[in-house]
């Protein structure tokens, strides 16, 4: 069972370590560096109310109510309306939100956490923006990320380069519509 909690300043060393893990760096740092990415995260954590991107830690809860495991990753969500250039480039509709995520601990990958995380994160986003569409654009070659999105009902919209992304590599743009919406 996955829980999300705000990412706090004392989580930064853990996140810095995860950013350097090969399985994260390969996809999360295309066209940027761990240091640059960490600075962005630091600035957001220092002033959470000054930024439209919400950072969260991923914690796995054990079988018992009291058994709370160590954080296994982090994630973020944002309303695309706060980032008009990115929204236009990716084809977001008004009200759509975006998510990004990583299971940072390599020993925690491949056992269903990512799939569960997407479901919990979508729930968190929709708690703030009920019924919103959710967009994700993993690198087209990121099979694991695409798989967890597809397993959570996301629909592939297109595979293309996106001008606001830090690299020219094609991304796979996925969108999850509101549960009762076919548009
Ligand atoms: C992408 C990521 C979140 C997936 O999480 P995970 O916990 O490793 O994946 P899961 O164990 O939940 O796997 C879910 C499904 O994907 C499949 N899958 C996972 N990795 C796969 C791979 N490399 N190739 C094919 N299928 C894969 C699993 O078999 C599983 O399928 P199933 O539901 O039929 O059993 C995780 O690997 C990660 O954080 N990677 C690094 C950062 C990253 O890529 N972030 C996303 C940027 S957009």
């Amino acid at each position: 069972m996955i829980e999300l909690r705000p990412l706090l300043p004392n989580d930064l060393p853990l996140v810095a370590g995860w950013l350097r893990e090969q399985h994260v760096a390969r996809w999360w740092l295309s066209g940027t560096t761990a240091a640059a990415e960490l600075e962005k995260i630091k600035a957001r954590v220092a002033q959470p109310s000054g930024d439209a991107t919400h950072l969260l830690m991923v914690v796995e809860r054990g079988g018992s109510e009291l058994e709370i495991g160590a954080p296994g990753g982090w994630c973020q969500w944002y309303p695309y309306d706060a980032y008009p250039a990115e929204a236009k480039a990716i084809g977001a509709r008004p009200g759509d939100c975006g998510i990004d995520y990583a299971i940072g601990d390599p020993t925690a990958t491949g056992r269903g956490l990512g799939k569960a995380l997407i479901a919990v994160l979508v729930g968190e986003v929709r708690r703030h923006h009920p019924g919103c569409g959710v967009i994700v654009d993993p690198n087209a070659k990121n099979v694991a990320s695409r798989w967890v999105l597809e397993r959570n009902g996301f629909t592939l919209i297109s595979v293309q380069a996106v001008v606001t992304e830090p690299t020219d590599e094609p991304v796979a743009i996925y969108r999850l519509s509101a549960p009762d919406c076919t548009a």
Side-chain angles (χ1 to χ4, degrees):
M1 194 179 155
I2 297 274
E3 286 189 6
L4 303 177
R5 64 154 174 86
L7 196 155
L8 302 170
N10 58 9
D11 293 315
L12 290 169
L14 201 48
V15 175
W18 289 337
L19 277 168
R20 290 179 171 85
E21 291 285 354
Q22 200 269 336
H23 75 287
V24 174
R26 180 170 177 215
W27 305 117
W28 199 282
L29 300 180
S30 307
T32 181
T33 63
E37 197 57 29
L38 193 63
E39 278 312 307
K40 229 163 54 180
I41 295 173
K42 262 188 196 163
R44 285 182 173 140
V45 170
Q47 231 197 344
S49 58
D51 201 291
T53 298
H54 305 266
L55 282 159
L56 299 161
M57 289 295 273
V58 178
V59 180
E60 192 181 6
R61 190 184 269 279
S64 125
E65 273 296 296
L66 297 173
E67 196 187 326
I68 301 175
W74 85 105
C75 58
Q76 59 186 25
W77 70 269
Y78 37 88
Y80 263 109
D81 293 342
Y83 302 100
E86 284 79 1
K88 185 171 178 220
I90 208 162
R93 303 179 194 177
D96 278 355
C97 288
I99 59 173
D100 303 301
Y101 42 83
I103 303 297
D105 175 355
T107 65
T109 61
R111 56 177 174 84
L113 274 187
K115 186 168 136 186
L117 165 60
I118 304 297
V120 171
L121 183 53
V122 166
E124 173 68 9
V125 175
R126 287 187 172 159
R127 196 165 66 80
H128 295 270
H129 295 269
C132 69
V134 180
I135 294 198
V136 196
D137 65 336
N139 184 300
K141 293 184 188 151
N142 190 347
V143 179
S145 187
R146 294 183 63 165
W147 201 255
V148 293
L149 292 170
E150 288 171 18
R151 284 285 190 270
N152 277 282
F154 280 72
T155 303
L156 181 63
I157 304 295
S158 69
V159 177
Q160 59 177 88
V162 169
V163 286
T164 50
E165 286 292 319
T167 75
D168 294 337
E169 288 187 44
V171 293
I173 302 174
Y174 283 89
R175 186 171 187 277
L176 184 70
S177 300
D180 55 354
C181 169
T182 51

